[in-house]
Amino acid sequence: MLATGLAGAVGWRLSRVVTAPVTRLAAEIEQLDPERPAAGLAQRFPDVELGVIAAAFDYYLGRVGDFVVRERAFTEDASH
């Protein structure tokens, strides 16, 4: 019984340590504002796996930013 409890406690703690960077990345992504993209997620997450995901979000935010610029230009041109 004691071994099971100890194994459970160690497993729980280890899972918290392993998932902490993913949780931090998710929190930073949640805070992102498409109007003011904060580039550089990949720089803040140098881990190979998380770095790839963060770089993909940086790329996506760049594309969204470009889209917003095009939409604003189109709206300004269409209103004249």
Side-chain angles (χ1 to χ4, degrees), residues 8-79:
V10 168
W12 179 80
R13 177 68 182 138
L14 186 59
S15 71
R16 301 293 290 177
V17 169
V18 170
T19 60
V22 176
T23 303
R24 195 181 72 168
L25 177 60
E28 290 203 28
I29 290 170
E30 201 172 86
Q31 304 269 333
L32 292 175
D33 180 8
E35 293 290 325
R36 292 178 288 129
L41 277 176
Q43 296 171 356
R44 291 185 293 228
F45 294 91
D47 304 316
V48 174
E49 295 89 0
L50 286 181
V52 170
I53 295 169
F57 269 101
D58 284 343
Y59 176 72
Y60 177 74
L61 285 175
R63 289 181 59 201
V64 168
D66 293 344
F67 176 75
V68 169
V69 168
R70 282 193 316 270
E71 285 296 309
R72 284 187 178 150
F74 174 76
T75 303
E76 287 174 7
D77 291 341
S79 67

